Amino acid sequence: MVSVMYLDNSATTPLDPKVLDAMMPWLTSEFGNASSVHLYGRKARIAVEDARTEIAHALGAHPAELMFTSGGTESNNTALHSPLHESNLVDEVYCTAIEHHSVLDVVHAMKRKGARADVIDVDDHGRVALDDVARLDNKRSLISVMLVNNETGCVQDITAVRHLLPNAYLHTDAVQALGKVRINVQELGVDLATFSAHKIHGPKGIGALFVRRGIDFKPMMVGGGQERNRRAGTENVAAIVGFQHAVRYAMSEFDVRTSRMRQLTEQLRSLIAAMVPDVRFNTPVEFAAPHILNISFVDAESLDGEAILQLLDMRNVAASNGSACVSGSQQPSHVLSAMGLGRHEARAALRLSVSHLTTEEEIFQAATILSEVIRDLRV
Ligand SMILES: Cc1ncc(COP(=O)(O)O)c(C=O)c1O
């Protein structure tokens, strides 16, 4: 079998076999509904609450502050809708221009419906403009600022945002941050935070939303009392247990994994700088998560982003042109556009993302193949 160099770990990661082992009983013999009163149900309930406690502690949260969701998209939608529409806690909603679409599209939709909602600029490194943040309404507003950007890996200074807006509701999308940068929701000062399991070698379709205690949270999903009346629907016990184990290994191996990822992206940066002329690195050297390297090409007008991806794919390099959700759409990346890149350059960009499982050989091979693909396209 041909082995593929998988450099798309920001889109998703392979399931850790140890995580699968931990999930198996809950997919087979232990099939109970966590709301049932009998033995099967009680065992499932214990597993769910055990997972909630372990994940919450890993994030600096109280277990009661963590609700399970179907993943990052649902957590983001819920985080933005609940304070504005459901609980009437805020009058204005803001997010940065580089948020994932599961935040950005909600804010755009709110604006179209007449709500006071807007998008805040970032600088050319992709960092939120703190001057603009300082001008926002500090009371009765919700601001969403992602901790790590999924296209460039840029890390935001969330505590600085909190400092500028001590009374606003603050949400952070920490999907790309989990397992890559240290997270303590209390130290960050956030009220709401989004997490997802499948970016850290856990299963797809499971995530969590941190909701700080004391917030008058109203559910988006109704029809059952699960998750302390905050999210109706039978809990996915196997996925929750998988999430718990993925978090456990990401945390216990945090230093080894992150320094490995950092070493690999640095190696990739040096190789590309040496092998591919006229490249621009869109991932900042400072303030960057360890796993992502985003590049674009100075002569992007003559390069087609989709063609680069397809040629890489034909040579067994799996990469992405940005967020998985927009790949194939030929749209310029909204993240790179917000950072000031031109239309062509924002369309022909490439995101290479590693995990601790990526090898140095793969990095070398991928850089070599990339240099050949770009050379051939430039002819
Ligand atoms: C920053 C960010 N937020 C949210 C999501 C959505 O998460 P999920 O795939 O769990 O719905 C992603 C996934 O690509 C992401 O990278």
PDB file of all heavy atoms in Angstrom, residues 10-11 70-74 76 100 102 146 148-150 173-176 194-199 205-207 323-325 351, ligand 1:
ATOM      1  N   SER A  10      -4.785  19.633  11.071  1.00  0.00           N
ATOM      2  CA  SER A  10      -5.707  20.658  11.567  1.00  0.00           C
ATOM      3  C   SER A  10      -7.125  20.363  11.122  1.00  0.00           C
ATOM      4  O   SER A  10      -8.081  20.843  11.729  1.00  0.00           O
ATOM      5  CB  SER A  10      -5.316  22.042  11.055  1.00  0.00           C
ATOM      6  OG  SER A  10      -4.112  22.396  11.626  1.00  0.00           O
ATOM      7  N   ALA A  11      -7.264  19.613  10.043  1.00  0.00           N
ATOM      8  CA  ALA A  11      -8.612  19.212   9.592  1.00  0.00           C
ATOM      9  C   ALA A  11      -9.129  18.103  10.497  1.00  0.00           C
ATOM     10  O   ALA A  11     -10.242  18.171  11.007  1.00  0.00           O
ATOM     11  CB  ALA A  11      -8.573  18.744   8.143  1.00  0.00           C
ATOM     12  N   SER A  70     -21.933  18.089  20.107  1.00  0.00           N
ATOM     13  CA  SER A  70     -21.510  17.242  18.984  1.00  0.00           C
ATOM     14  C   SER A  70     -20.189  17.710  18.377  1.00  0.00           C
ATOM     15  O   SER A  70     -19.761  17.178  17.358  1.00  0.00           O
ATOM     16  CB  SER A  70     -22.586  17.229  17.907  1.00  0.00           C
ATOM     17  OG  SER A  70     -22.720  18.528  17.362  1.00  0.00           O
ATOM     18  N   GLY A  71     -19.567  18.734  18.954  1.00  0.00           N
ATOM     19  CA  GLY A  71     -18.261  19.163  18.433  1.00  0.00           C
ATOM     20  C   GLY A  71     -18.117  20.670  18.439  1.00  0.00           C
ATOM     21  O   GLY A  71     -18.946  21.408  19.003  1.00  0.00           O
ATOM     22  N   GLY A  72     -17.060  21.129  17.779  1.00  0.00           N
ATOM     23  CA  GLY A  72     -16.739  22.555  17.784  1.00  0.00           C
ATOM     24  C   GLY A  72     -17.820  23.411  17.151  1.00  0.00           C
ATOM     25  O   GLY A  72     -18.143  24.497  17.650  1.00  0.00           O
ATOM     26  N   THR A  73     -18.403  22.938  16.075  1.00  0.00           N
ATOM     27  CA  THR A  73     -19.407  23.734  15.363  1.00  0.00           C
ATOM     28  C   THR A  73     -20.620  23.991  16.251  1.00  0.00           C
ATOM     29  O   THR A  73     -21.084  25.127  16.379  1.00  0.00           O
ATOM     30  CB  THR A  73     -19.826  22.996  14.077  1.00  0.00           C
ATOM     31  OG1 THR A  73     -18.652  22.803  13.283  1.00  0.00           O
ATOM     32  CG2 THR A  73     -20.858  23.775  13.291  1.00  0.00           C
ATOM     33  N   GLU A  74     -21.108  22.939  16.888  1.00  0.00           N
ATOM     34  CA  GLU A  74     -22.269  23.126  17.773  1.00  0.00           C
ATOM     35  C   GLU A  74     -21.908  24.002  18.971  1.00  0.00           C
ATOM     36  O   GLU A  74     -22.684  24.886  19.355  1.00  0.00           O
ATOM     37  CB  GLU A  74     -22.800  21.769  18.260  1.00  0.00           C
ATOM     38  CG  GLU A  74     -24.049  21.932  19.109  1.00  0.00           C
ATOM     39  CD  GLU A  74     -24.499  20.657  19.797  1.00  0.00           C
ATOM     40  OE1 GLU A  74     -24.337  19.568  19.222  1.00  0.00           O
ATOM     41  OE2 GLU A  74     -25.024  20.768  20.915  1.00  0.00           O
ATOM     42  N   ASN A  76     -19.690  26.370  19.171  1.00  0.00           N
ATOM     43  CA  ASN A  76     -19.587  27.774  18.751  1.00  0.00           C
ATOM     44  C   ASN A  76     -20.963  28.385  18.511  1.00  0.00           C
ATOM     45  O   ASN A  76     -21.241  29.497  18.965  1.00  0.00           O
ATOM     46  CB  ASN A  76     -18.744  27.876  17.468  1.00  0.00           C
ATOM     47  CG  ASN A  76     -17.253  27.813  17.752  1.00  0.00           C
ATOM     48  OD1 ASN A  76     -16.829  27.990  18.898  1.00  0.00           O
ATOM     49  ND2 ASN A  76     -16.460  27.561  16.737  1.00  0.00           N
ATOM     50  N   HIS A 100     -13.359  30.840  12.734  1.00  0.00           N
ATOM     51  CA  HIS A 100     -13.899  29.715  11.972  1.00  0.00           C
ATOM     52  C   HIS A 100     -15.319  30.085  11.532  1.00  0.00           C
ATOM     53  O   HIS A 100     -16.016  30.852  12.210  1.00  0.00           O
ATOM     54  CB  HIS A 100     -13.922  28.488  12.897  1.00  0.00           C
ATOM     55  CG  HIS A 100     -14.289  27.212  12.215  1.00  0.00           C
ATOM     56  ND1 HIS A 100     -15.582  26.733  12.183  1.00  0.00           N
ATOM     57  CD2 HIS A 100     -13.539  26.315  11.538  1.00  0.00           C
ATOM     58  CE1 HIS A 100     -15.604  25.595  11.531  1.00  0.00           C
ATOM     59  NE2 HIS A 100     -14.377  25.310  11.119  1.00  0.00           N
ATOM     60  N   SER A 102     -17.998  28.630  11.796  1.00  0.00           N
ATOM     61  CA  SER A 102     -19.069  28.319  12.751  1.00  0.00           C
ATOM     62  C   SER A 102     -19.258  29.439  13.777  1.00  0.00           C
ATOM     63  O   SER A 102     -20.222  29.419  14.548  1.00  0.00           O
ATOM     64  CB  SER A 102     -18.810  26.979  13.452  1.00  0.00           C
ATOM     65  OG  SER A 102     -17.530  26.945  14.032  1.00  0.00           O
ATOM     66  N   MET A 146     -10.887  33.656  18.850  1.00  0.00           N
ATOM     67  CA  MET A 146     -10.369  32.293  18.900  1.00  0.00           C
ATOM     68  C   MET A 146      -8.966  32.252  19.511  1.00  0.00           C
ATOM     69  O   MET A 146      -8.174  33.180  19.337  1.00  0.00           O
ATOM     70  CB  MET A 146     -10.379  31.653  17.515  1.00  0.00           C
ATOM     71  CG  MET A 146      -9.369  32.189  16.550  1.00  0.00           C
ATOM     72  SD  MET A 146      -9.800  31.858  14.814  1.00  0.00           S
ATOM     73  CE  MET A 146     -10.232  30.147  14.803  1.00  0.00           C
ATOM     74  N   VAL A 148      -6.516  29.805  18.977  1.00  0.00           N
ATOM     75  CA  VAL A 148      -5.549  29.472  17.924  1.00  0.00           C
ATOM     76  C   VAL A 148      -6.294  29.416  16.593  1.00  0.00           C
ATOM     77  O   VAL A 148      -7.328  28.749  16.490  1.00  0.00           O
ATOM     78  CB  VAL A 148      -4.869  28.107  18.194  1.00  0.00           C
ATOM     79  CG1 VAL A 148      -4.044  27.660  16.988  1.00  0.00           C
ATOM     80  CG2 VAL A 148      -3.975  28.177  19.419  1.00  0.00           C
ATOM     81  N   ASN A 149      -5.765  30.111  15.602  1.00  0.00           N
ATOM     82  CA  ASN A 149      -6.416  30.116  14.293  1.00  0.00           C
ATOM     83  C   ASN A 149      -6.148  28.808  13.549  1.00  0.00           C
ATOM     84  O   ASN A 149      -5.019  28.312  13.535  1.00  0.00           O
ATOM     85  CB  ASN A 149      -5.951  31.317  13.469  1.00  0.00           C
ATOM     86  CG  ASN A 149      -6.640  31.344  12.124  1.00  0.00           C
ATOM     87  OD1 ASN A 149      -6.091  30.871  11.131  1.00  0.00           O
ATOM     88  ND2 ASN A 149      -7.860  31.846  12.109  1.00  0.00           N
ATOM     89  N   ASN A 150      -7.185  28.293  12.896  1.00  0.00           N
ATOM     90  CA  ASN A 150      -7.075  26.987  12.244  1.00  0.00           C
ATOM     91  C   ASN A 150      -6.353  27.037  10.903  1.00  0.00           C
ATOM     92  O   ASN A 150      -5.994  25.994  10.365  1.00  0.00           O
ATOM     93  CB  ASN A 150      -8.463  26.371  12.053  1.00  0.00           C
ATOM     94  CG  ASN A 150      -9.451  27.324  11.434  1.00  0.00           C
ATOM     95  OD1 ASN A 150      -9.714  28.391  11.984  1.00  0.00           O
ATOM     96  ND2 ASN A 150      -9.979  26.974  10.289  1.00  0.00           N
ATOM     97  N   ASP A 173     -12.909  30.182  20.896  1.00  0.00           N
ATOM     98  CA  ASP A 173     -12.921  28.908  20.180  1.00  0.00           C
ATOM     99  C   ASP A 173     -11.526  28.313  20.380  1.00  0.00           C
ATOM    100  O   ASP A 173     -10.543  28.788  19.803  1.00  0.00           O
ATOM    101  CB  ASP A 173     -13.215  29.182  18.698  1.00  0.00           C
ATOM    102  CG  ASP A 173     -13.113  27.921  17.844  1.00  0.00           C
ATOM    103  OD1 ASP A 173     -12.604  26.908  18.327  1.00  0.00           O
ATOM    104  OD2 ASP A 173     -13.527  27.994  16.672  1.00  0.00           O
ATOM    105  N   ALA A 174     -11.459  27.274  21.225  1.00  0.00           N
ATOM    106  CA  ALA A 174     -10.152  26.692  21.568  1.00  0.00           C
ATOM    107  C   ALA A 174      -9.944  25.340  20.874  1.00  0.00           C
ATOM    108  O   ALA A 174      -9.133  24.530  21.330  1.00  0.00           O
ATOM    109  CB  ALA A 174     -10.044  26.545  23.080  1.00  0.00           C
ATOM    110  N   VAL A 175     -10.664  25.117  19.772  1.00  0.00           N
ATOM    111  CA  VAL A 175     -10.591  23.818  19.086  1.00  0.00           C
ATOM    112  C   VAL A 175      -9.163  23.498  18.660  1.00  0.00           C
ATOM    113  O   VAL A 175      -8.661  22.391  18.874  1.00  0.00           O
ATOM    114  CB  VAL A 175     -11.560  23.796  17.883  1.00  0.00           C
ATOM    115  CG1 VAL A 175     -11.265  22.619  16.956  1.00  0.00           C
ATOM    116  CG2 VAL A 175     -13.001  23.720  18.363  1.00  0.00           C
ATOM    117  N   GLN A 176      -8.472  24.464  18.046  1.00  0.00           N
ATOM    118  CA  GLN A 176      -7.106  24.200  17.567  1.00  0.00           C
ATOM    119  C   GLN A 176      -6.072  24.381  18.673  1.00  0.00           C
ATOM    120  O   GLN A 176      -4.896  24.089  18.470  1.00  0.00           O
ATOM    121  CB  GLN A 176      -6.763  25.118  16.389  1.00  0.00           C
ATOM    122  CG  GLN A 176      -7.576  24.859  15.142  1.00  0.00           C
ATOM    123  CD  GLN A 176      -7.220  23.561  14.423  1.00  0.00           C
ATOM    124  OE1 GLN A 176      -6.152  22.978  14.621  1.00  0.00           O
ATOM    125  NE2 GLN A 176      -8.131  23.100  13.580  1.00  0.00           N
ATOM    126  N   THR A 194     -14.900  26.724  23.561  1.00  0.00           N
ATOM    127  CA  THR A 194     -15.286  25.622  22.668  1.00  0.00           C
ATOM    128  C   THR A 194     -14.146  24.614  22.504  1.00  0.00           C
ATOM    129  O   THR A 194     -12.995  25.015  22.294  1.00  0.00           O
ATOM    130  CB  THR A 194     -15.634  26.230  21.291  1.00  0.00           C
ATOM    131  OG1 THR A 194     -16.855  26.950  21.412  1.00  0.00           O
ATOM    132  CG2 THR A 194     -15.779  25.177  20.218  1.00  0.00           C
ATOM    133  N   PHE A 195     -14.493  23.335  22.549  1.00  0.00           N
ATOM    134  CA  PHE A 195     -13.495  22.264  22.377  1.00  0.00           C
ATOM    135  C   PHE A 195     -14.037  21.168  21.471  1.00  0.00           C
ATOM    136  O   PHE A 195     -15.249  20.981  21.374  1.00  0.00           O
ATOM    137  CB  PHE A 195     -13.136  21.657  23.749  1.00  0.00           C
ATOM    138  CG  PHE A 195     -12.626  22.680  24.722  1.00  0.00           C
ATOM    139  CD1 PHE A 195     -13.492  23.270  25.644  1.00  0.00           C
ATOM    140  CD2 PHE A 195     -11.310  23.091  24.678  1.00  0.00           C
ATOM    141  CE1 PHE A 195     -13.037  24.244  26.523  1.00  0.00           C
ATOM    142  CE2 PHE A 195     -10.845  24.068  25.560  1.00  0.00           C
ATOM    143  CZ  PHE A 195     -11.710  24.645  26.476  1.00  0.00           C
ATOM    144  N   SER A 196     -13.129  20.422  20.851  1.00  0.00           N
ATOM    145  CA  SER A 196     -13.528  19.315  19.975  1.00  0.00           C
ATOM    146  C   SER A 196     -12.501  18.194  20.104  1.00  0.00           C
ATOM    147  O   SER A 196     -11.304  18.461  20.243  1.00  0.00           O
ATOM    148  CB  SER A 196     -13.583  19.827  18.532  1.00  0.00           C
ATOM    149  OG  SER A 196     -13.965  18.794  17.661  1.00  0.00           O
ATOM    150  N   ALA A 197     -12.981  16.946  20.035  1.00  0.00           N
ATOM    151  CA  ALA A 197     -12.088  15.805  20.301  1.00  0.00           C
ATOM    152  C   ALA A 197     -11.260  15.373  19.097  1.00  0.00           C
ATOM    153  O   ALA A 197     -10.155  14.861  19.249  1.00  0.00           O
ATOM    154  CB  ALA A 197     -12.912  14.613  20.791  1.00  0.00           C
ATOM    155  N   HIS A 198     -11.796  15.576  17.870  1.00  0.00           N
ATOM    156  CA  HIS A 198     -11.145  14.895  16.743  1.00  0.00           C
ATOM    157  C   HIS A 198      -9.863  15.572  16.265  1.00  0.00           C
ATOM    158  O   HIS A 198      -9.172  15.043  15.395  1.00  0.00           O
ATOM    159  CB  HIS A 198     -12.127  14.673  15.584  1.00  0.00           C
ATOM    160  CG  HIS A 198     -12.526  15.894  14.808  1.00  0.00           C
ATOM    161  ND1 HIS A 198     -11.976  16.199  13.593  1.00  0.00           N
ATOM    162  CD2 HIS A 198     -13.438  16.854  15.065  1.00  0.00           C
ATOM    163  CE1 HIS A 198     -12.542  17.307  13.129  1.00  0.00           C
ATOM    164  NE2 HIS A 198     -13.434  17.724  14.006  1.00  0.00           N
ATOM    165  N   LYS A 199      -9.526  16.729  16.861  1.00  0.00           N
ATOM    166  CA  LYS A 199      -8.245  17.360  16.511  1.00  0.00           C
ATOM    167  C   LYS A 199      -7.114  16.836  17.391  1.00  0.00           C
ATOM    168  O   LYS A 199      -5.966  17.189  17.211  1.00  0.00           O
ATOM    169  CB  LYS A 199      -8.335  18.883  16.666  1.00  0.00           C
ATOM    170  CG  LYS A 199      -9.580  19.523  16.063  1.00  0.00           C
ATOM    171  CD  LYS A 199      -9.556  19.584  14.549  1.00  0.00           C
ATOM    172  CE  LYS A 199     -10.793  20.312  14.038  1.00  0.00           C
ATOM    173  NZ  LYS A 199     -10.846  20.452  12.609  1.00  0.00           N
ATOM    174  N   GLY A 205     -17.397  14.118  16.066  1.00  0.00           N
ATOM    175  CA  GLY A 205     -18.786  14.242  16.525  1.00  0.00           C
ATOM    176  C   GLY A 205     -18.938  14.380  18.022  1.00  0.00           C
ATOM    177  O   GLY A 205     -20.018  14.134  18.556  1.00  0.00           O
ATOM    178  N   ILE A 206     -17.866  14.754  18.709  1.00  0.00           N
ATOM    179  CA  ILE A 206     -17.975  15.007  20.153  1.00  0.00           C
ATOM    180  C   ILE A 206     -17.096  16.196  20.515  1.00  0.00           C
ATOM    181  O   ILE A 206     -15.980  16.338  20.025  1.00  0.00           O
ATOM    182  CB  ILE A 206     -17.624  13.753  21.003  1.00  0.00           C
ATOM    183  CG1 ILE A 206     -17.880  14.003  22.496  1.00  0.00           C
ATOM    184  CG2 ILE A 206     -16.186  13.302  20.769  1.00  0.00           C
ATOM    185  CD1 ILE A 206     -19.329  14.015  22.882  1.00  0.00           C
ATOM    186  N   GLY A 207     -17.642  17.052  21.345  1.00  0.00           N
ATOM    187  CA  GLY A 207     -16.896  18.222  21.800  1.00  0.00           C
ATOM    188  C   GLY A 207     -17.506  18.706  23.094  1.00  0.00           C
ATOM    189  O   GLY A 207     -18.325  18.002  23.696  1.00  0.00           O
ATOM    190  N   SER A 323      -9.172  26.150   5.808  1.00  0.00           N
ATOM    191  CA  SER A 323     -10.100  25.396   6.631  1.00  0.00           C
ATOM    192  C   SER A 323     -10.712  24.290   5.788  1.00  0.00           C
ATOM    193  O   SER A 323     -11.038  24.491   4.613  1.00  0.00           O
ATOM    194  CB  SER A 323     -11.154  26.321   7.204  1.00  0.00           C
ATOM    195  OG  SER A 323     -12.385  26.053   6.646  1.00  0.00           O
ATOM    196  N   ALA A 324     -10.888  23.116   6.389  1.00  0.00           N
ATOM    197  CA  ALA A 324     -11.421  21.961   5.674  1.00  0.00           C
ATOM    198  C   ALA A 324     -12.785  22.277   5.087  1.00  0.00           C
ATOM    199  O   ALA A 324     -13.153  21.808   4.027  1.00  0.00           O
ATOM    200  CB  ALA A 324     -11.541  20.778   6.616  1.00  0.00           C
ATOM    201  N   CYS A 325     -13.539  23.120   5.798  1.00  0.00           N
ATOM    202  CA  CYS A 325     -14.916  23.401   5.397  1.00  0.00           C
ATOM    203  C   CYS A 325     -14.974  24.156   4.078  1.00  0.00           C
ATOM    204  O   CYS A 325     -15.958  24.092   3.379  1.00  0.00           O
ATOM    205  CB  CYS A 325     -15.609  24.214   6.472  1.00  0.00           C
ATOM    206  SG  CYS A 325     -15.218  23.647   8.115  1.00  0.00           S
ATOM    207  N   ARG A 351      -1.932  25.098   3.630  1.00  0.00           N
ATOM    208  CA  ARG A 351      -1.775  24.854   5.067  1.00  0.00           C
ATOM    209  C   ARG A 351      -1.233  23.452   5.262  1.00  0.00           C
ATOM    210  O   ARG A 351      -1.834  22.477   4.820  1.00  0.00           O
ATOM    211  CB  ARG A 351      -3.108  24.983   5.778  1.00  0.00           C
ATOM    212  CG  ARG A 351      -3.001  24.669   7.262  1.00  0.00           C
ATOM    213  CD  ARG A 351      -4.346  24.647   7.942  1.00  0.00           C
ATOM    214  NE  ARG A 351      -5.155  23.500   7.559  1.00  0.00           N
ATOM    215  CZ  ARG A 351      -6.374  23.252   8.026  1.00  0.00           C
ATOM    216  NH1 ARG A 351      -6.933  24.095   8.860  1.00  0.00           N
ATOM    217  NH2 ARG A 351      -7.049  22.184   7.637  1.00  0.00           N
TER     218      ARG A 351
HETATM  219  C1  LIG B   1     -11.018  26.585  14.952  1.00  0.00           C
HETATM  220  C2  LIG B   1     -12.104  25.596  14.691  1.00  0.00           C
HETATM  221  N1  LIG B   1     -13.307  25.792  15.233  1.00  0.00           N
HETATM  222  C3  LIG B   1     -14.322  24.936  15.046  1.00  0.00           C
HETATM  223  C4  LIG B   1     -14.169  23.830  14.259  1.00  0.00           C
HETATM  224  C5  LIG B   1     -15.311  22.876  14.078  1.00  0.00           C
HETATM  225  O1  LIG B   1     -15.138  21.757  14.904  1.00  0.00           O
HETATM  226  P1  LIG B   1     -15.926  20.389  14.604  1.00  0.00           P
HETATM  227  O2  LIG B   1     -15.294  19.790  13.399  1.00  0.00           O
HETATM  228  O3  LIG B   1     -15.736  19.576  15.849  1.00  0.00           O
HETATM  229  O4  LIG B   1     -17.355  20.765  14.395  1.00  0.00           O
HETATM  230  C6  LIG B   1     -12.930  23.579  13.650  1.00  0.00           C
HETATM  231  C7  LIG B   1     -12.734  22.409  12.735  1.00  0.00           C
HETATM  232  O5  LIG B   1     -12.130  22.506  11.695  1.00  0.00           O
HETATM  233  C8  LIG B   1     -11.870  24.486  13.880  1.00  0.00           C
HETATM  234  O6  LIG B   1     -10.660  24.295  13.330  1.00  0.00           O
END
